[in-house]
Short mmCIF file of all heavy atoms in Angstrom, two decimals:
data_model
loop_
_atom_site.label_atom_id
_atom_site.label_comp_id
_atom_site.label_asym_id
_atom_site.label_seq_id
_atom_site.Cartn_x
_atom_site.Cartn_y
_atom_site.Cartn_z
N MET A 1 124.76 97.86 168.17
CA MET A 1 124.88 96.44 167.78
C MET A 1 123.50 95.86 167.48
O MET A 1 123.33 95.17 166.49
CB MET A 1 125.50 95.60 168.90
CG MET A 1 126.62 96.29 169.62
SD MET A 1 128.11 96.28 168.69
CE MET A 1 128.88 97.72 169.36
N ASN A 2 122.56 96.16 168.34
CA ASN A 2 121.20 95.71 168.02
C ASN A 2 120.39 96.86 167.44
O ASN A 2 119.17 96.80 167.36
CB ASN A 2 120.50 95.10 169.23
CG ASN A 2 120.45 96.05 170.40
OD1 ASN A 2 120.73 97.25 170.26
ND2 ASN A 2 120.09 95.55 171.56
N HIS A 3 121.09 97.92 167.04
CA HIS A 3 120.50 99.02 166.28
C HIS A 3 119.46 99.81 167.07
O HIS A 3 118.55 100.39 166.48
CB HIS A 3 119.89 98.51 164.96
CG HIS A 3 120.87 97.75 164.14
ND1 HIS A 3 121.98 98.33 163.56
CD2 HIS A 3 120.95 96.43 163.84
CE1 HIS A 3 122.67 97.40 162.93
NE2 HIS A 3 122.08 96.24 163.08
N ASP A 4 119.58 99.84 168.38
CA ASP A 4 118.68 100.69 169.14
C ASP A 4 119.36 102.00 169.50
O ASP A 4 118.85 102.79 170.27
CB ASP A 4 118.13 99.98 170.38
CG ASP A 4 119.23 99.67 171.40
OD1 ASP A 4 120.41 99.94 171.10
OD2 ASP A 4 118.90 99.19 172.48
N GLY A 5 120.55 102.22 168.95
CA GLY A 5 121.22 103.50 169.10
C GLY A 5 122.04 103.65 170.36
O GLY A 5 122.61 104.69 170.60
N LYS A 6 122.11 102.62 171.17
CA LYS A 6 122.95 102.72 172.35
C LYS A 6 123.58 101.37 172.67
O LYS A 6 123.14 100.33 172.19
CB LYS A 6 122.14 103.24 173.55
CG LYS A 6 120.94 102.41 173.92
CD LYS A 6 120.15 103.14 175.00
CE LYS A 6 119.12 102.26 175.68
NZ LYS A 6 118.15 101.68 174.75
N VAL A 7 124.61 101.44 173.47
CA VAL A 7 125.32 100.22 173.86
C VAL A 7 124.89 99.88 175.29
O VAL A 7 125.02 100.68 176.19
CB VAL A 7 126.84 100.44 173.81
CG1 VAL A 7 127.57 99.20 174.31
CG2 VAL A 7 127.29 100.79 172.40
N ASP A 8 124.37 98.73 175.46
CA ASP A 8 123.93 98.33 176.80
C ASP A 8 124.11 96.82 176.98
O ASP A 8 124.72 96.14 176.15
CB ASP A 8 122.48 98.75 177.04
CG ASP A 8 121.55 98.20 175.98
OD1 ASP A 8 121.90 97.20 175.32
OD2 ASP A 8 120.46 98.76 175.81
N GLN A 9 123.59 96.33 178.05
CA GLN A 9 123.75 94.92 178.38
C GLN A 9 123.25 94.01 177.27
O GLN A 9 123.80 92.94 177.01
CB GLN A 9 122.99 94.63 179.68
CG GLN A 9 123.19 93.21 180.21
CD GLN A 9 124.64 92.94 180.55
OE1 GLN A 9 125.31 93.77 181.16
NE2 GLN A 9 125.16 91.79 180.15
N LEU A 10 122.21 94.47 176.58
CA LEU A 10 121.65 93.66 175.50
C LEU A 10 122.67 93.46 174.38
O LEU A 10 122.74 92.39 173.77
CB LEU A 10 120.39 94.35 174.97
CG LEU A 10 119.36 93.48 174.26
CD1 LEU A 10 118.85 92.39 175.19
CD2 LEU A 10 118.21 94.33 173.78
N ASP A 11 123.47 94.50 174.13
CA ASP A 11 124.50 94.38 173.10
C ASP A 11 125.57 93.38 173.50
O ASP A 11 126.05 92.62 172.67
CB ASP A 11 125.15 95.75 172.85
CG ASP A 11 124.17 96.72 172.25
OD1 ASP A 11 123.56 96.38 171.22
OD2 ASP A 11 124.00 97.80 172.80
N ILE A 12 125.93 93.41 174.76
CA ILE A 12 126.90 92.44 175.25
C ILE A 12 126.37 91.02 175.03
O ILE A 12 127.07 90.16 174.52
CB ILE A 12 127.17 92.65 176.76
CG1 ILE A 12 127.61 94.09 177.04
CG2 ILE A 12 128.21 91.65 177.25
CD1 ILE A 12 128.94 94.48 176.48
N THR A 13 125.12 90.83 175.38
CA THR A 13 124.51 89.52 175.22
C THR A 13 124.49 89.11 173.75
O THR A 13 124.82 87.97 173.40
CB THR A 13 123.08 89.54 175.77
OG1 THR A 13 123.11 90.06 177.09
CG2 THR A 13 122.48 88.15 175.79
N THR A 14 124.12 90.05 172.89
CA THR A 14 124.08 89.77 171.46
C THR A 14 125.44 89.37 170.93
O THR A 14 125.58 88.39 170.19
CB THR A 14 123.58 91.02 170.69
OG1 THR A 14 122.31 91.39 171.19
CG2 THR A 14 123.47 90.73 169.20
N CYS A 15 126.46 90.11 171.34
CA CYS A 15 127.80 89.85 170.82
C CYS A 15 128.41 88.59 171.41
O CYS A 15 129.24 87.95 170.77
CB CYS A 15 128.70 91.06 171.06
SG CYS A 15 128.23 92.44 170.01
N GLN A 16 128.00 88.23 172.60
CA GLN A 16 128.47 86.97 173.15
C GLN A 16 127.97 85.80 172.31
O GLN A 16 128.65 84.80 172.13
CB GLN A 16 127.99 86.80 174.59
CG GLN A 16 128.86 87.58 175.57
CD GLN A 16 128.33 87.53 176.99
OE1 GLN A 16 127.16 87.28 177.22
NE2 GLN A 16 129.21 87.78 177.94
N ARG A 17 126.79 86.00 171.73
CA ARG A 17 126.23 84.95 170.87
C ARG A 17 127.11 84.75 169.63
O ARG A 17 127.21 83.66 169.10
CB ARG A 17 124.80 85.35 170.48
CG ARG A 17 124.04 84.26 169.79
CD ARG A 17 122.55 84.54 169.83
NE ARG A 17 122.22 85.90 169.43
CZ ARG A 17 121.42 86.21 168.40
NH1 ARG A 17 120.90 85.26 167.67
NH2 ARG A 17 121.14 87.45 168.12
N TRP A 18 127.71 85.86 169.15
CA TRP A 18 128.52 85.80 167.92
C TRP A 18 130.00 85.67 168.23
O TRP A 18 130.83 85.74 167.33
CB TRP A 18 128.29 87.06 167.09
CG TRP A 18 126.88 87.19 166.64
CD1 TRP A 18 125.98 88.13 167.00
CD2 TRP A 18 126.20 86.32 165.72
NE1 TRP A 18 124.78 87.91 166.38
CE2 TRP A 18 124.89 86.81 165.59
CE3 TRP A 18 126.58 85.18 165.01
CZ2 TRP A 18 123.95 86.19 164.77
CZ3 TRP A 18 125.64 84.57 164.19
CH2 TRP A 18 124.35 85.08 164.08
N TYR A 19 130.32 85.48 169.49
CA TYR A 19 131.72 85.39 169.89
C TYR A 19 132.44 84.33 169.07
O TYR A 19 131.95 83.20 168.89
CB TYR A 19 131.78 85.06 171.38
CG TYR A 19 133.17 85.11 171.97
CD1 TYR A 19 133.88 86.29 172.02
CD2 TYR A 19 133.75 83.96 172.48
CE1 TYR A 19 135.17 86.34 172.56
CE2 TYR A 19 135.02 83.98 173.03
CZ TYR A 19 135.72 85.18 173.06
OH TYR A 19 136.98 85.21 173.60
N GLN A 20 133.60 84.68 168.54
CA GLN A 20 134.45 83.82 167.72
C GLN A 20 133.91 83.59 166.32
O GLN A 20 134.45 82.78 165.57
CB GLN A 20 134.73 82.48 168.41
CG GLN A 20 135.57 82.69 169.68
CD GLN A 20 136.07 81.37 170.26
OE1 GLN A 20 135.40 80.36 170.18
NE2 GLN A 20 137.25 81.40 170.85
N ALA A 21 132.85 84.31 165.94
CA ALA A 21 132.45 84.31 164.54
C ALA A 21 133.50 85.07 163.75
O ALA A 21 134.20 85.92 164.30
CB ALA A 21 131.09 84.98 164.38
N LYS A 22 133.63 84.75 162.47
CA LYS A 22 134.62 85.46 161.65
C LYS A 22 134.09 85.67 160.24
O LYS A 22 133.13 85.00 159.81
CB LYS A 22 135.95 84.72 161.64
CG LYS A 22 135.87 83.30 161.11
CD LYS A 22 137.20 82.58 161.30
CE LYS A 22 137.18 81.18 160.69
NZ LYS A 22 136.06 80.35 161.15
N SER A 23 134.76 86.56 159.53
CA SER A 23 134.37 86.87 158.16
C SER A 23 134.43 85.59 157.32
O SER A 23 135.40 84.85 157.38
CB SER A 23 135.32 87.92 157.58
OG SER A 23 134.98 88.20 156.25
N GLY A 24 133.39 85.33 156.56
CA GLY A 24 133.33 84.12 155.76
C GLY A 24 132.34 83.11 156.32
O GLY A 24 131.88 82.24 155.60
N ASP A 25 132.02 83.24 157.62
CA ASP A 25 130.98 82.40 158.18
C ASP A 25 129.65 82.69 157.50
O ASP A 25 129.41 83.82 157.06
CB ASP A 25 130.83 82.65 159.69
CG ASP A 25 132.01 82.10 160.48
OD1 ASP A 25 132.89 81.47 159.87
OD2 ASP A 25 132.03 82.30 161.71
N SER A 26 128.79 81.69 157.41
CA SER A 26 127.52 81.87 156.70
C SER A 26 126.65 82.93 157.37
O SER A 26 125.84 83.57 156.72
CB SER A 26 126.77 80.54 156.64
OG SER A 26 126.56 80.04 157.95
N ASP A 27 126.82 83.12 158.67
CA ASP A 27 126.02 84.10 159.38
C ASP A 27 126.82 85.36 159.73
O ASP A 27 126.44 86.13 160.59
CB ASP A 27 125.41 83.49 160.64
CG ASP A 27 126.46 82.81 161.51
OD1 ASP A 27 127.65 82.88 161.17
OD2 ASP A 27 126.07 82.21 162.53
N TRP A 28 127.92 85.57 159.02
CA TRP A 28 128.78 86.72 159.31
C TRP A 28 128.03 88.04 159.16
O TRP A 28 128.31 89.02 159.84
CB TRP A 28 130.02 86.71 158.41
CG TRP A 28 130.86 87.92 158.58
CD1 TRP A 28 131.06 88.92 157.68
CD2 TRP A 28 131.60 88.29 159.76
NE1 TRP A 28 131.89 89.88 158.23
CE2 TRP A 28 132.22 89.53 159.49
CE3 TRP A 28 131.78 87.70 161.01
CZ2 TRP A 28 133.02 90.18 160.44
CZ3 TRP A 28 132.57 88.34 161.95
CH2 TRP A 28 133.18 89.56 161.66
N LYS A 29 127.08 88.09 158.23
CA LYS A 29 126.31 89.30 158.01
C LYS A 29 125.70 89.82 159.31
O LYS A 29 125.68 91.02 159.56
CB LYS A 29 125.19 89.03 156.99
CG LYS A 29 124.44 90.26 156.56
CD LYS A 29 123.63 90.00 155.29
CE LYS A 29 122.57 88.91 155.45
NZ LYS A 29 121.45 89.36 156.31
N ASN A 30 125.26 88.89 160.15
CA ASN A 30 124.70 89.28 161.45
C ASN A 30 125.81 89.53 162.46
O ASN A 30 125.76 90.48 163.23
CB ASN A 30 123.78 88.17 161.96
CG ASN A 30 122.59 87.97 161.05
OD1 ASN A 30 121.99 88.92 160.57
ND2 ASN A 30 122.26 86.72 160.80
N ALA A 31 126.81 88.69 162.43
CA ALA A 31 127.88 88.79 163.41
C ALA A 31 128.69 90.06 163.20
O ALA A 31 129.27 90.60 164.16
CB ALA A 31 128.80 87.57 163.31
N ALA A 32 128.75 90.57 161.96
CA ALA A 32 129.59 91.72 161.64
C ALA A 32 129.23 92.94 162.48
O ALA A 32 130.09 93.79 162.72
CB ALA A 32 129.49 92.05 160.15
N ASP A 33 127.99 93.04 162.92
CA ASP A 33 127.59 94.17 163.75
C ASP A 33 128.39 94.20 165.05
O ASP A 33 128.57 95.25 165.65
CB ASP A 33 126.11 94.07 164.10
CG ASP A 33 125.25 94.43 162.90
OD1 ASP A 33 125.76 95.11 161.99
OD2 ASP A 33 124.09 94.03 162.90
N CYS A 34 128.87 93.05 165.46
CA CYS A 34 129.61 92.97 166.72
C CYS A 34 131.12 93.08 166.50
O CYS A 34 131.88 93.10 167.47
CB CYS A 34 129.28 91.66 167.43
SG CYS A 34 127.58 91.64 168.00
N ASP A 35 131.53 93.15 165.24
CA ASP A 35 132.95 93.34 164.96
C ASP A 35 133.24 94.83 165.00
O ASP A 35 133.41 95.49 163.98
CB ASP A 35 133.31 92.75 163.59
CG ASP A 35 134.76 92.99 163.24
OD1 ASP A 35 135.57 93.14 164.16
OD2 ASP A 35 135.07 93.01 162.04
N VAL A 36 133.30 95.36 166.21
CA VAL A 36 133.36 96.81 166.35
C VAL A 36 134.72 97.39 165.97
O VAL A 36 134.82 98.56 165.61
CB VAL A 36 132.99 97.25 167.78
CG1 VAL A 36 131.49 97.08 167.99
CG2 VAL A 36 133.76 96.46 168.82
N ASN A 37 135.79 96.61 166.03
CA ASN A 37 137.10 97.15 165.64
C ASN A 37 137.46 96.78 164.20
O ASN A 37 138.53 97.11 163.73
CB ASN A 37 138.20 96.73 166.63
CG ASN A 37 138.44 95.24 166.66
OD1 ASN A 37 137.82 94.48 165.92
ND2 ASN A 37 139.34 94.81 167.53
N GLY A 38 136.54 96.12 163.50
CA GLY A 38 136.68 95.95 162.06
C GLY A 38 137.81 95.04 161.61
O GLY A 38 138.34 95.21 160.52
N ASP A 39 138.19 94.04 162.41
CA ASP A 39 139.25 93.14 161.97
C ASP A 39 138.70 91.82 161.44
O ASP A 39 139.41 90.83 161.33
CB ASP A 39 140.28 92.91 163.09
CG ASP A 39 139.67 92.24 164.31
OD1 ASP A 39 138.44 92.03 164.32
OD2 ASP A 39 140.43 91.93 165.24
N ASN A 40 137.40 91.84 161.11
CA ASN A 40 136.75 90.70 160.45
C ASN A 40 136.65 89.44 161.29
O ASN A 40 136.54 88.33 160.77
CB ASN A 40 137.44 90.38 159.11
CG ASN A 40 137.23 91.48 158.10
OD1 ASN A 40 136.14 92.05 157.99
ND2 ASN A 40 138.27 91.81 157.38
N LYS A 41 136.66 89.64 162.60
CA LYS A 41 136.29 88.54 163.49
C LYS A 41 135.76 89.13 164.79
O LYS A 41 136.06 90.27 165.13
CB LYS A 41 137.49 87.61 163.75
CG LYS A 41 138.72 88.27 164.34
CD LYS A 41 139.85 87.23 164.45
CE LYS A 41 141.00 87.73 165.30
NZ LYS A 41 141.74 88.82 164.64
N VAL A 42 134.94 88.34 165.46
CA VAL A 42 134.39 88.78 166.74
C VAL A 42 135.13 88.03 167.83
O VAL A 42 135.02 86.82 167.94
CB VAL A 42 132.87 88.51 166.83
CG1 VAL A 42 132.34 88.92 168.19
CG2 VAL A 42 132.14 89.23 165.71
N ASP A 43 135.91 88.76 168.61
CA ASP A 43 136.69 88.12 169.66
C ASP A 43 136.73 88.99 170.90
O ASP A 43 135.99 89.97 171.02
CB ASP A 43 138.10 87.77 169.16
CG ASP A 43 138.86 89.00 168.70
OD1 ASP A 43 138.45 90.13 169.02
OD2 ASP A 43 139.88 88.82 168.02
N ILE A 44 137.59 88.65 171.80
CA ILE A 44 137.63 89.32 173.10
C ILE A 44 137.92 90.81 172.94
O ILE A 44 137.46 91.64 173.72
CB ILE A 44 138.64 88.62 174.04
CG1 ILE A 44 138.49 89.12 175.48
CG2 ILE A 44 140.07 88.79 173.54
CD1 ILE A 44 137.19 88.73 176.16
N GLU A 45 138.67 91.17 171.92
CA GLU A 45 138.99 92.58 171.72
C GLU A 45 137.73 93.40 171.44
O GLU A 45 137.61 94.53 171.89
CB GLU A 45 139.98 92.74 170.56
CG GLU A 45 141.36 92.22 170.91
CD GLU A 45 142.34 92.39 169.75
OE1 GLU A 45 142.16 93.31 168.95
OE2 GLU A 45 143.27 91.58 169.66
N ASP A 46 136.81 92.81 170.69
CA ASP A 46 135.55 93.52 170.43
C ASP A 46 134.74 93.66 171.71
O ASP A 46 134.11 94.68 171.95
CB ASP A 46 134.75 92.76 169.37
CG ASP A 46 135.48 92.72 168.04
OD1 ASP A 46 135.78 93.80 167.49
OD2 ASP A 46 135.77 91.62 167.57
N MET A 47 134.76 92.62 172.52
CA MET A 47 134.04 92.67 173.80
C MET A 47 134.59 93.81 174.66
O MET A 47 133.83 94.55 175.29
CB MET A 47 134.20 91.35 174.56
CG MET A 47 133.64 90.14 173.85
SD MET A 47 131.86 90.23 173.66
CE MET A 47 131.67 89.29 172.16
N ILE A 48 135.91 93.94 174.66
CA ILE A 48 136.53 94.99 175.47
C ILE A 48 136.11 96.37 174.97
O ILE A 48 135.79 97.25 175.76
CB ILE A 48 138.08 94.82 175.45
CG1 ILE A 48 138.46 93.55 176.21
CG2 ILE A 48 138.76 96.04 176.06
CD1 ILE A 48 139.92 93.15 176.03
N VAL A 49 136.10 96.54 173.66
CA VAL A 49 135.70 97.82 173.09
C VAL A 49 134.25 98.14 173.49
O VAL A 49 133.95 99.26 173.91
CB VAL A 49 135.83 97.81 171.55
CG1 VAL A 49 135.23 99.07 170.94
CG2 VAL A 49 137.29 97.69 171.14
N VAL A 50 133.40 97.16 173.39
CA VAL A 50 131.98 97.37 173.74
C VAL A 50 131.85 97.71 175.22
O VAL A 50 131.13 98.64 175.60
CB VAL A 50 131.14 96.13 173.41
CG1 VAL A 50 129.72 96.27 173.94
CG2 VAL A 50 131.11 95.91 171.89
N LEU A 51 132.57 96.98 176.06
CA LEU A 51 132.51 97.23 177.50
C LEU A 51 133.03 98.62 177.83
O LEU A 51 132.44 99.35 178.63
CB LEU A 51 133.31 96.17 178.25
CG LEU A 51 132.64 94.80 178.36
CD1 LEU A 51 133.63 93.76 178.83
CD2 LEU A 51 131.44 94.87 179.30
N GLN A 52 134.15 99.00 177.20
CA GLN A 52 134.70 100.33 177.45
C GLN A 52 133.71 101.40 177.03
O GLN A 52 133.50 102.39 177.73
CB GLN A 52 136.02 100.50 176.70
CG GLN A 52 137.18 99.79 177.38
CD GLN A 52 138.47 99.92 176.58
OE1 GLN A 52 138.45 100.22 175.40
NE2 GLN A 52 139.59 99.70 177.24
N TYR A 53 133.09 101.19 175.88
CA TYR A 53 132.12 102.16 175.38
C TYR A 53 130.97 102.30 176.37
O TYR A 53 130.51 103.39 176.68
CB TYR A 53 131.60 101.71 174.01
CG TYR A 53 130.78 102.76 173.32
CD1 TYR A 53 131.40 103.68 172.47
CD2 TYR A 53 129.41 102.85 173.52
CE1 TYR A 53 130.66 104.66 171.83
CE2 TYR A 53 128.66 103.83 172.88
CZ TYR A 53 129.29 104.74 172.04
OH TYR A 53 128.56 105.70 171.42
N MET A 54 130.53 101.16 176.89
CA MET A 54 129.39 101.16 177.80
C MET A 54 129.72 101.95 179.07
O MET A 54 128.90 102.70 179.58
CB MET A 54 129.02 99.72 178.15
CG MET A 54 127.64 99.58 178.75
SD MET A 54 127.13 97.85 178.78
CE MET A 54 128.09 97.25 180.16
N PHE A 55 130.95 101.79 179.56
CA PHE A 55 131.32 102.46 180.80
C PHE A 55 131.60 103.94 180.61
O PHE A 55 131.58 104.71 181.55
CB PHE A 55 132.53 101.77 181.44
CG PHE A 55 132.18 100.46 182.07
CD1 PHE A 55 132.81 99.29 181.68
CD2 PHE A 55 131.19 100.39 183.05
CE1 PHE A 55 132.47 98.07 182.26
CE2 PHE A 55 130.85 99.18 183.63
CZ PHE A 55 131.49 98.02 183.23
N GLN A 56 131.89 104.33 179.37
CA GLN A 56 132.22 105.73 179.10
C GLN A 56 130.98 106.58 178.85
O GLN A 56 131.06 107.79 178.83
CB GLN A 56 133.16 105.82 177.88
CG GLN A 56 134.60 105.46 178.22
CD GLN A 56 135.44 105.26 176.96
OE1 GLN A 56 134.98 105.53 175.86
NE2 GLN A 56 136.66 104.80 177.13
N HIS A 57 129.84 105.94 178.64
CA HIS A 57 128.65 106.72 178.26
C HIS A 57 127.50 106.53 179.24
O HIS A 57 127.60 105.71 180.11
CB HIS A 57 128.20 106.31 176.85
CG HIS A 57 129.19 106.72 175.81
ND1 HIS A 57 129.08 107.87 175.09
CD2 HIS A 57 130.33 106.13 175.41
CE1 HIS A 57 130.12 107.96 174.26
NE2 HIS A 57 130.88 106.92 174.43
CA1 CA B 101 136.86 92.38 165.79
#
């Protein structure tokens, strides 16, 4: 998410900043990194995916 090659607490923090951003927002280009499931919005589902990823690795 922050392009350091791993998922960690910093990514959670970054994505919380973009929480509820969606495709079409002026800053979507940045927020899109946090749309990990690719449904064109950043919501709780993306947070869950990130959290699961973090705990699995
Ligand atoms: Ca999403």
Side-chain angles (χ1 to χ4, degrees):
M1 321 283 154
N2 57 12
H3 305 293
D4 66 355
K6 58 187 194 302
V7 177
D8 56 22
Q9 185 62 44
L10 204 59
D11 294 307
I12 305 293
T13 308
T14 303
C15 289
Q16 280 175 338
R17 190 162 48 120
W18 297 114
Y19 187 64
Q20 294 190 326
K22 59 187 184 307
S23 179
D25 289 356
S26 57
D27 52 3
W28 175 249
K29 187 164 61 71
N30 297 318
D33 286 339
C34 292
D35 178 25
V36 287
N37 65 2
D39 63 355
N40 293 319
K41 58 184 192 290
V42 177
D43 59 15
I44 192 68
E45 290 180 28
D46 296 301
M47 298 295 151
I48 292 169
V49 172
V50 172
L51 284 167
Q52 283 178 340
Y53 190 90
M54 197 167 76
F55 285 123
Q56 282 168 8
H57 293 264

